[in-house]
Amino acid sequence: MSVAAGDPLAAIAARAAADKKHIVLSEGDDPRVHEAARIAVEQGLADVTVLGPTEVEGAIAPGVSVLNPENSPNHDTFVARLVELRGHKGMTEERAADAVRDPLIFAALMVDQGMADGTVSGCVRTTSDVVRAALQVIGKAKGAPLVSSFFLMALPPEHPAGPKGMIFSDCGLVIDPSAEELAGIAQQAATSAQALLDQTPRVAMLSFSTKGSARHAAVTKVTEAMELAKAAAPDLILDGELQFDAAFVPSVAARKAEGSPLEGAANVFVFPNLDAGNIGYKIAQRIGGATAIGPVLQGLAKPANDLSRGATAQDIVDIIAVTAVQAQ
């Protein structure tokens, strides 16, 4: 992975390479996927299978497997499994036979059946398509309150805060979470930070208000979510409601949020809704120069991750590494 020394993405790449997992890429008709598969295999980040016409096998790169859902020997097994999973929703063998030819469904079934450790899609298909396939086949993790998403944000080495990784959640999936859902997102994002950044999570519940500086129902939702998250995970370092600067800049925190356990050093930022999260991560990416990897899904039984349709080959490589570490 082409990142500078000290970049958190380099640490994730090293962890992926140290315990290689099998990742399936469903969008094998896209040249960005071919390039990403080649790079990931050459750098030893994962074993990679690409779904697509088998005539491209060997044209991608040595070591990259190619499977065609149209003529897979696993077809009948996958049909039976899909009927088992979705029969209560009216899935018949005839409908399942068509559905398993969809590479998104096929990839999810590979993960469900233990034939791959995780899957990555979304540079062609929409987020709703990707999430629907993951939920219908892989399903929520046991005990997960919901499925949400996050972006792994990596600051560049020249940034005043230095090269560091952060979790922004939810910036891609849950549009207007309730206080209960927001508390669940905070706990999931903290778990993701621990797994991917190998750091103690320090969670900021973000708002346009800091410690009662404004009164509004939107602020109340955040404070209620914070209390719910604290009750569920009393050892979690968490605070809110906070404006971003009070969560990120120690000198501002000392003035605006004196006594905050975060002390202006949060590494997990929980946004109050999708408007704020989506706008916030794009500003950090486009103006702040941060690398944004995601949306990464959290709360699933096994890893299945999304991509922006504007993703580059390197973006796909990065999320392959993230998915591999999730699978560990």
Side-chain angles (χ1 to χ4, degrees), residues 116-244:
D117 298 302
T119 179
V120 172
S121 311
C123 65
V124 178
R125 303 285 287 273
T126 65
T127 293
S128 60
D129 286 342
V130 173
V131 174
R132 186 181 306 111
L135 282 174
Q136 290 181 351
V137 177
I138 296 171
K140 286 197 306 180
K142 186 176 180 180
L146 76 168
V147 173
S148 61
S149 76
F150 68 90
F151 276 82
L152 172 64
M153 308 297 293
L155 296 179
E158 65 272 15
H159 193 280
K164 63 186 294 186
M166 303 175 292
I167 299 293
F168 281 18
S169 189
D170 182 343
C171 306
L173 190 56
V174 185
I175 295 173
D176 189 16
S178 65
E180 291 78 10
E181 289 172 328
L182 201 58
I185 290 168
Q187 293 170 71
Q188 290 179 337
T191 300
S192 295
Q194 183 74 63
L196 290 175
L197 301 178
D198 198 25
Q199 298 174 10
T200 300
R202 301 173 63 85
V203 183
M205 307 292 287
L206 297 180
S207 174
F208 61 84
S209 170
T210 295
K211 298 296 184 178
S213 65
R215 293 189 178 186
H216 189 274
V219 177
T220 301
K221 181 179 82 168
V222 174
T223 57
E224 289 178 352
M226 182 195 66
E227 294 302 330
L228 290 168
K230 275 187 175 180
D235 293 333
L236 184 62
I237 303 173
L238 175 145
D239 201 14
E241 87 283 11
L242 295 170
Q243 292 165 293
F244 186 88

Side-chain angles (χ1 to χ4, degrees), residues 41 44 63 173 182 203 255 273 282 322:
V41 168
L173 190 56
L182 201 58
V203 183
R255 293 193 302 272
N273 56 42
K282 288 183 184 294
V322 167

Side-chain angles (χ1 to χ4, degrees), residues 63-127:
V64 177
S65 299
V66 178
L67 288 178
N68 188 347
E70 292 287 342
N71 55 21
S72 168
N74 294 312
H75 177 84
D76 291 347
T77 300
F78 283 3
V79 167
R81 177 58 174 160
L82 195 56
V83 171
E84 179 186 354
L85 289 168
R86 305 294 298 167
H88 68 290
K89 293 290 188 179
M91 180 63 72
T92 63
E93 285 192 15
E94 184 178 4
R95 292 177 59 197
D98 288 334
V100 300
R101 293 185 175 91
D102 180 337
L104 279 182
I105 298 294
F106 191 93
L109 283 162
M110 286 183 66
V111 175
D112 170 73
Q113 293 292 286
M115 298 175 185
D117 298 302
T119 179
V120 172
S121 311
C123 65
V124 178
R125 303 285 287 273
T126 65
T127 293

